[in-house]
Amino acid sequence: MVLALLIIITTTLFAQHHFTVEVSDLVTDKGSVYLGLYNKKDGFLKENTAFANAKVKTTGNKISYTFKNLPLGDYAVAVYQDVNNNGKCDRNMIGYPTEGFGFSKNYRPKLSAPTFDDVKIAIIQSTKASISLIGN
């Protein structure tokens, strides 16, 4: 009985889960969508601090990507569509993105970028999130 309980607890703690992100409202068939997956507050939205990254070529007006084998925890996603294929999210002179972008929980920023806590999603099983891009 104790061994069975230990196996269940161990399996739950170390289970690997999938997080599927669907991104819509893309500029059809232009460029690629970049996804950044973050798992902590420190470094959220900072360059080279994502837990995982992905790049998906845009075909149609939506894409789907699955981050696989994630441990339990809180995660946040930031995405942008690089329409002109220059490898970055272009911004205007005050720093606002000029290419479509979005966040988990479909968070819509008002005056500044969200915090990790604004957009985090608890991954306790395989999960799906939908993000509609802003600005496309």
Side-chain angles (χ1 to χ4, degrees), residues 50-68:
F51 176 76
N53 291 295
K55 177 183 174 184
V56 180
K57 183 167 176 40
T58 305
T59 55
N61 65 352
K62 62 182 175 180
I63 62 102
S64 180
Y65 183 81
T66 301
F67 293 97
K68 297 182 178 179

Side-chain angles (χ1 to χ4, degrees), residues 1-122:
M1 171 97 164
V2 173
L3 181 60
L5 186 57
L6 269 175
I7 290 172
I8 290 170
I9 291 171
T10 303
T11 302
T12 302
L13 288 175
F14 297 104
Q16 300 294 298
H17 305 288
H18 304 312
F19 185 21
T20 300
V21 181
E22 295 178 345
V23 183
S24 61
D25 294 334
L26 302 173
V27 175
T28 303
D29 300 328
K30 296 267 186 167
S32 297
V33 175
Y34 287 79
L35 301 96
L37 180 68
Y38 298 84
N39 66 345
K40 57 187 174 185
K41 292 179 187 183
D42 292 338
F44 178 61
L45 297 180
K46 303 289 187 229
E47 198 167 336
N48 301 317
T49 61
F51 176 76
N53 291 295
K55 177 183 174 184
V56 180
K57 183 167 176 40
T58 305
T59 55
N61 65 352
K62 62 182 175 180
I63 62 102
S64 180
Y65 183 81
T66 301
F67 293 97
K68 297 182 178 179
N69 301 319
L70 300 174
L72 298 174
D74 291 333
Y75 293 89
V77 179
V79 302
Y80 71 92
Q81 183 180 11
D82 183 14
V83 175
N84 60 5
N85 283 316
N86 67 352
K88 62 181 182 176
C89 182
D90 296 329
R91 298 173 182 276
N92 65 18
M93 57 193 232
I94 61 169
Y96 194 82
T98 58
E99 296 180 295
F101 67 98
F103 303 98
S104 42
K105 291 187 170 179
N106 254 334
Y107 183 89
R108 299 294 195 236
K110 293 173 182 53
L111 297 175
S112 64
T115 66
F116 179 81
D117 288 333
D118 289 332
V119 296
K120 71 181 177 184
I121 295 174

